[in-house]
Amino acid sequence: MKLGELRKRKNLAFYSGVGRSGSGLDTRTYNSIKSQVHFSLVKKLDLASVADMPKEELSFLIKQTLQDIASREKLPLNQDERTTLISDLLNEILGLGPIEPLMQDESIQDILVNGHSSVYIERRGVLELTPIRFRDDEHLMQIIDRIVSSIGRRVDESSPMVDARLEDGSRVNVIIHPLALDGPILSIRKFGQNPLTIDDLISYGTLPAEIAAYLEAAVKSKLNILISGGTGAGKTTLLNILAGYIPDNERIITIEDSAELRLQQPHVVRLESRPANVEGKGEVTLTDLVRNSLRMRPDRIIVGESRGAEVLDMLQAMNTGHPGSMSTIHANSPKDALSRMEVMLSMGTSVFSEMAMKALLGSAINIIVQLARLPDGKRILMSVSEMAGTAGDDFALQDLFKFEQYGVDARGNIYGCFKATGKVSMFLDHMKSHGLELEKEIFRLVREVR
């Protein structure tokens, strides 16, 4: 085991309040000492007066004060335990308490707090129970209040659900009593400081280089792309990567419920919806933002996730002068994705016949990329399909690439093969008109993944 990983695990173990071997320090004693030092610190420092200090200076001041208090009161702690206590209290005052080390660990994608005594993480697509614990539900609520108040929101019995994001872009969901029966529930979807690239996905086996080349050509030639998949399948990650292929001279407008996309182009306008306030006023929906974006002279419109009536305006934009738009949707297959979009179209104020809805979808969407998260935690591109309009009462979908699962090895890892279906893209001439030529070998792909 690497030294860095070993240190992380040791820190997480001690954060649960369990003392180190031979110290005899149990959870209750450690938490009692921590509370005493925290109280003494608040008495000694006027925290309100130092709130405007730079974080580094405030951290140093708190550290020095804690060391003085620990030495003066002769606390029954060895040097390692004092260091850990100081780190814990710094996290309590400046960070997110017990889960602050998890926020700093870039290998963790999700932090799931189910009440004060159960904290799970997702690492490499697999859930793990950690030894981290909050002191009690009140302690957990203090951290939740710190999170939601920092973004100008509140959570209480009158408003027991909050969906928001942190400064670093991490998505936060909170649900408390009376809706949550077993204590406050906190879910954090983290976003790394260094977003994944297409080379990362290729090296992880999510998709082969040939399919990546096809998708790059599709984006650059302004084809409309829908990314479909289940929760945690990597839809937003792939959307962010594909959007990175958009040329720098185009005006891009991103529309999201919670801003997650991180595009590096110079001309990006980021829009985010807003929920209603406590009085039920001030809501700005994705539909409102999509309609407004059409008046902002966009070259590309990227909707983070299609989930409601905004689908109509997005599809109309794709059909009327805004090609190359992209979005994601929760669905288990390309056909499920299209069926869900039909339902969303019916949620709007406009009334469409079934045939009209299919015609709108068939002409607006060019490519559907299906993603999945397999039982071993690996994210895989399951298929790439092209839309050829409608055929009678159904959509005319043409699969270009598929992933075939062969089985599971002795370690529980799934293995299989990326295969081309033998059909050639119907958009090759379209891509060629944009100066992009794909090798025909791409459409004879056979690539095993283990």
Side-chain angles (χ1 to χ4, degrees):
M1 184 182 297
K2 293 182 179 179
L3 180 59
E5 184 68 20
L6 181 61
R7 285 173 176 167
K8 286 178 184 176
R9 295 195 177 187
K10 288 175 70 178
N11 288 340
L12 293 184
F14 192 72
Y15 223 124
S16 66
V18 179
R20 299 183 191 278
S21 176
S23 69
L25 195 64
D26 59 21
T27 302
R28 181 175 298 179
T29 303
Y30 178 78
N31 285 335
S32 175
I33 292 173
K34 186 165 69 171
S35 297
Q36 291 176 38
V37 176
H38 196 176
F39 181 72
S40 298
L41 178 66
V42 172
K43 285 178 60 179
K44 181 172 182 178
L45 283 177
D46 181 6
L47 294 181
S49 66
V50 298
D52 295 330
M53 292 175 59
K55 187 173 181 179
E56 293 75 14
E57 290 184 30
L58 181 56
S59 175
F60 178 77
L61 177 59
I62 291 174
K63 184 176 181 180
Q64 290 296 110
T65 304
L66 287 173
Q67 288 176 333
D68 293 343
I69 292 172
S71 299
R72 184 178 66 253
E73 298 188 5
K74 299 181 180 179
L75 298 175
L77 303 171
N78 60 35
Q79 188 57 47
D80 286 344
E81 291 163 347
R82 289 189 184 196
T83 300
T84 302
L85 176 62
I86 290 170
S87 176
D88 286 3
L89 282 164
L90 284 172
N91 290 334
E92 290 286 342
I93 296 169
L94 297 178
L96 300 182
I99 61 173
E100 183 65 25
L102 305 182
M103 293 297 296
Q104 304 304 320
D105 187 344
E106 293 191 4
S107 69
I108 295 174
Q109 288 86 44
D110 285 273
I111 303 171
L112 308 171
V113 182
N114 305 334
H116 73 276
S117 61
S118 179
V119 179
Y120 285 83
I121 60 172
E122 181 186 302
R123 182 185 276 121
R124 292 181 290 277
V126 179
L127 285 177
E128 306 173 20
L129 178 63
T130 73
I132 291 175
R133 303 290 183 269
F134 288 83
R135 187 170 57 251
D136 48 34
D137 282 348
E138 183 180 354
H139 182 203
L140 174 55
M141 279 303 303
Q142 290 173 2
I143 300 302
I144 289 174
D145 286 335
R146 181 177 302 167
I147 292 173
V148 299
S149 62
S150 68
I151 53 177
R153 306 284 292 280
R154 77 175 195 182
V155 59
D156 52 34
E157 286 193 8
S158 64
S159 180
M161 289 191 300
V162 171
D163 193 17
R165 62 180 173 85
L166 299 176
E167 289 184 3
D168 65 356
S170 298
R171 192 168 63 206
V172 177
N173 181 270
V174 174
I175 184 166
I176 65 170
H177 181 81
L179 303 183
L181 302 182
D182 299 319
I185 307 298
L186 171 65
S187 306
I188 301 177
R189 168 66 59 85
K190 289 177 54 187
F191 291 93
Q193 297 302 313
N194 300 310
L196 295 178
T197 66
I198 195 67
D199 291 334
D200 293 325
L201 297 192
I202 293 171
S203 66
Y204 297 158
T206 301
L207 77 168
E210 290 85 350
I211 296 180
Y214 166 82
L215 293 176
E216 179 180 356
V219 174
K220 290 182 176 179
S221 62
K222 292 193 172 184
L223 295 175
N224 297 321
I225 299 175
L226 181 66
I227 301 173
S228 169
T231 300
K235 299 184 298 297
T236 302
T237 298
L238 182 60
L239 178 63
N240 197 76
I241 291 172
L242 295 185
Y245 291 132
I246 298 174
D248 288 350
N249 61 351
E250 295 189 29
R251 176 174 169 86
I252 308 167
I253 296 181
T254 66
I255 300 169
E256 301 173 86
D257 267 331
S258 181
E260 301 172 11
L261 297 174
R262 298 183 181 182
L263 305 188
Q264 303 303 313
Q265 290 92 330
H267 201 163
V268 177
V269 178
R270 303 168 71 218
L271 304 180
E272 185 178 63
S273 64
R274 184 178 70 184
N277 58 23
V278 178
E279 289 77 27
K281 300 179 180 179
E283 181 182 18
V284 179
T285 66
L286 289 180
T287 303
D288 298 327
L289 294 178
V290 172
R291 289 176 180 173
N292 190 78
S293 70
L294 299 178
R295 306 182 184 100
M296 299 171 66
R297 200 260 175 221
D299 288 307
R300 310 261 190 153
I301 298 174
I302 300 176
V303 179
E305 181 182 342
S306 298
R307 60 175 63 181
E310 73 279 354
V311 165
L312 172 60
D313 297 280
M314 182 184 74
L315 294 176
Q316 288 179 332
M318 290 177 173
N319 274 324
T320 57
H322 301 92
S325 298
M326 291 181 273
S327 185
T328 72
I329 189 169
H330 278 269
N332 294 322
S333 71
K335 287 197 172 183
D336 284 347
L338 294 170
S339 296
R340 283 208 65 206
M341 295 195 86
E342 285 188 83
V343 173
M344 293 174 192
L345 282 172
S346 66
M347 295 167 62
T349 56
S350 302
V351 178
F352 289 90
S353 66
E354 184 177 350
M355 185 175 297
M357 285 192 290
K358 288 185 182 297
L360 179 61
L361 283 165
S363 60
I365 297 172
N366 302 129
I367 296 171
I368 301 178
V369 180
Q370 184 68 40
L371 301 175
R373 182 172 64 171
L374 303 181
D376 62 355
K378 180 185 286 294
R379 275 83 170 177
I380 285 287
L381 185 148
M382 299 299 295
S383 67
V384 177
S385 308
E386 291 184 342
M387 177 81 81
T390 57
D393 295 333
D394 204 357
F395 296 102
L397 282 175
Q398 171 179 284
D399 292 333
L400 294 184
F401 307 100
K402 281 193 169 184
F403 176 77
E404 293 184 8
Q405 180 180 331
Y406 291 160
V408 182
D409 64 21
R411 297 183 178 181
N413 297 315
I414 290 172
Y415 61 92
C417 182
F418 289 105
K419 289 183 177 180
T421 62
K423 296 178 181 178
V424 177
S425 171
M426 68 183 73
F427 297 113
L428 283 184
D429 289 339
H430 171 82
M431 294 175 180
K432 191 173 181 179
S433 70
H434 285 75
L436 302 164
E437 288 202 52
L438 291 177
E439 298 290 338
K440 293 290 182 68
E441 287 296 319
I442 286 178
F443 303 103
R444 291 191 283 270
L445 169 71
V446 177
R447 181 68 50 78
E448 289 195 358
V449 177
R450 287 186 176 270

